[in-house]
Amino acid sequence: MNKRRTLAVLAASATLGLAVLAPVAAQAADLVKATLRLKWLPQTQFAGFYYALEKGYYKDEGIDLTINPGGPNLLTENLVATGADTFGLSGGTDSVMAAIDKGMPIVSVGVSHQVTPFVFVTRKDGPVKTLKDFEGKKVTAWFTGANYVLFGMLANNGVDRSKVDIQPQQVSVTPFVNGDVDVATATWYNELYTIKQRMGADNLRTFVAEDYGVTFPRDTLIVSRKTAQDQPELITKFLRASIRGWRDAMAHPKEAVDAVMKVAPTLDRAHQEFMLTEAYRLMVEGKAKTEGLFWIDPKAIEATEAFLLKNKVLTKPVDVTTAFDGRFLQAIPVEERRP
């Protein structure tokens, strides 16, 4: 009798256990699988996404997200356009328009960096004191967007770019440090840190794009046109989780750096802490202060398109209201978007 009672209790317990586990299993099965392709290798430039993933914010929104790193030979626009990745963090407003101009079916649903992340650096005691002094000097830039920023700065200030020796820039800043280059390009959050560490901040002079009438918003979140049409709720949920991740990453910067370094443990921690602060500063500039993270500023987008058309980067006008679609972001209450 005792044996029968024991078996009955075990059976009831097992049934109860299955009942408790069933909703969990169902919830896991209901998660929508998605990927985010970054524009570069893991670093705190992308900390908010990694933090949101670690804390389960995407799962809270019903998304089973995988973050895929980028690299020098990967074009995020191509991977998203072909459906290889669901979401992408691409180069910038310029690269999005250039891709659409080539017929790629992509849509930008958010912009990370509200101001230009590039800065041009020279030696304070060198011959370059003004933008006019770029003429006759060797200037290096990445031909993936930074070159357009440079072109715009020169044009706005009456400097003939044909008189500037503009060369593609290497990944390493060593040529500039060694004196082989007069002016180099740096991002606020990455190369500038390295140059300062090697040369000293007091020995440098910087030329900031916004001081010369140029703003190129960068680090654009993109999806395919099909995803925008068929899964609008997925996009809004992804944006909500990502914004939550970025806000909390800056509230807990040590944890945010830890989250990234779990993925890439060989990174220099001091550099990553600096990068996190500077990357977030670029994200909260301009109208992002009031409209929230990933805001799409129509005026900045239109100015970029006008410049790209003028310089024949684009073969025809881009319908910017379609190419940069703010509906998914605006579905989130503004108080949840603000930094």
Side-chain angles (χ1 to χ4, degrees), residues 41 76 96 98 130 219 230 272 285 324:
L41 302 171
T76 305
V96 169
T130 68
D219 282 29
D230 298 347
Q272 295 306 305
E285 291 281 349
F324 294 84

Side-chain angles (χ1 to χ4, degrees), residues 16 65 76 124 135 184 213 246 249 257-258 329 335:
L16 180 60
L65 186 76
T76 305
K124 186 174 286 187
E135 292 184 357
W246 271 108
V257 174
D258 287 343
L329 191 65
E335 59 270 17

Side-chain angles (χ1 to χ4, degrees), residues 247 290-292 330 332-338:
R247 290 172 62 173
T290 55
E291 302 297 338
Q330 291 167 26
I332 304 169
V334 67
E335 59 270 17
E336 293 182 28
R337 305 196 309 256
R338 288 193 185 117

Side-chain angles (χ1 to χ4, degrees), residues 211-227:
D211 292 344
Y212 297 91
V214 174
T215 293
F216 266 56
R218 300 282 295 174
D219 282 29
T220 42
L221 281 171
I222 59 172
V223 298
S224 69
R225 200 177 299 153
K226 178 174 173 53
T227 299

Side-chain angles (χ1 to χ4, degrees), residues 9 36 51 87 96 101 104 124-125 133 135 175 183 188 193 210 216 236 244 291 295 305 313 332-333:
V9 170
L36 167 63
Y51 194 78
F87 300 96
V96 169
D101 188 57
M104 291 189 194
K124 186 174 286 187
D125 61 358
D133 295 332
E135 292 184 357
V183 182
W188 285 105
Y193 175 89
E210 276 68 24
F216 266 56
T236 295
R244 185 182 173 193
E291 302 297 338
W295 181 246
E305 185 212 16
V313 177
I332 304 169

Side-chain angles (χ1 to χ4, degrees), residues 8-69:
V9 170
L10 289 172
S13 299
T15 302
L16 180 60
L18 289 173
V20 171
L21 290 173
V24 177
Q27 184 178 2
D30 290 341
L31 293 176
V32 176
K33 289 187 177 296
T35 61
L36 167 63
R37 176 69 63 173
L38 301 178
K39 61 181 289 186
W40 194 245
L41 302 171
Q43 54 187 12
T44 54
Q45 179 186 353
F46 318 117
F49 303 110
Y50 282 108
Y51 194 78
L53 184 65
E54 181 175 275
K55 293 296 181 180
Y57 296 167
Y58 293 110
K59 286 187 177 179
D60 290 346
E61 296 289 344
I63 305 171
D64 180 9
L65 186 76
T66 299
I67 298 178
N68 294 323

Side-chain angles (χ1 to χ4, degrees), residues 13-272:
S13 299
T15 302
L16 180 60
L18 289 173
V20 171
L21 290 173
V24 177
Q27 184 178 2
D30 290 341
L31 293 176
V32 176
K33 289 187 177 296
T35 61
L36 167 63
R37 176 69 63 173
L38 301 178
K39 61 181 289 186
W40 194 245
L41 302 171
Q43 54 187 12
T44 54
Q45 179 186 353
F46 318 117
F49 303 110
Y50 282 108
Y51 194 78
L53 184 65
E54 181 175 275
K55 293 296 181 180
Y57 296 167
Y58 293 110
K59 286 187 177 179
D60 290 346
E61 296 289 344
I63 305 171
D64 180 9
L65 186 76
T66 299
I67 298 178
N68 294 323
N73 299 315
L74 295 174
L75 288 176
T76 305
E77 288 88 354
N78 290 358
L79 293 168
V80 171
T82 59
D85 285 293
T86 318
F87 300 96
L89 191 69
S90 71
T93 51
D94 52 298
S95 64
V96 169
M97 291 185 202
I100 292 173
D101 188 57
K102 295 173 183 174
M104 291 189 194
I106 60 172
V107 178
S108 175
V109 297
V111 179
S112 296
H113 296 163
Q114 299 293 307
V115 294
T116 312
F118 305 123
V119 60
F120 297 89
V121 190
T122 189
R123 285 170 169 74
K124 186 174 286 187
D125 61 358
V128 179
K129 310 294 184 186
T130 68
L131 209 62
K132 182 70 173 176
D133 295 332
F134 280 35
E135 292 184 357
K137 304 298 188 298
K138 184 175 181 179
V139 181
T140 58
W142 297 296
F143 279 58
T144 54
N147 56 320
Y148 303 138
V149 175
L150 177 61
F151 295 167
M153 291 169 62
L154 296 175
N156 283 357
N157 293 273
V159 180
D160 185 352
R161 81 180 192 218
S162 68
K163 296 181 180 179
V164 183
D165 182 14
I166 302 173
Q167 299 290 331
Q169 182 162 304
Q170 300 177 18
V171 173
S172 173
V173 297
T174 297
F176 172 72
V177 173
N178 288 347
D180 299 326
V181 172
D182 296 298
V183 182
T185 307
T187 55
W188 285 105
Y189 49 82
N190 197 356
E191 293 79 15
L192 187 59
Y193 175 89
T194 303
I195 293 171
K196 285 180 176 180
Q197 292 296 304
R198 295 178 64 176
M199 298 179 64
D202 293 340
N203 297 318
L204 303 173
R205 186 188 308 278
T206 56
F207 294 86
V208 179
E210 276 68 24
D211 292 344
Y212 297 91
V214 174
T215 293
F216 266 56
R218 300 282 295 174
D219 282 29
T220 42
L221 281 171
I222 59 172
V223 298
S224 69
R225 200 177 299 153
K226 178 174 173 53
T227 299
Q229 292 171 350
D230 298 347
Q231 297 177 287
E233 290 184 5
L234 174 65
I235 298 171
T236 295
K237 289 177 179 179
F238 171 82
L239 287 167
R240 185 186 293 115
S242 299
I243 290 170
R244 185 182 173 193
W246 271 108
R247 290 172 62 173
D248 287 358
M250 288 312 299
H252 307 282
K254 181 182 180 302
E255 289 184 17
V257 174
D258 287 343
V260 175
M261 293 193 69
K262 285 177 185 176
V263 181
T266 61
L267 294 172
D268 177 78
R269 185 173 191 91
H271 189 176
Q272 295 306 305

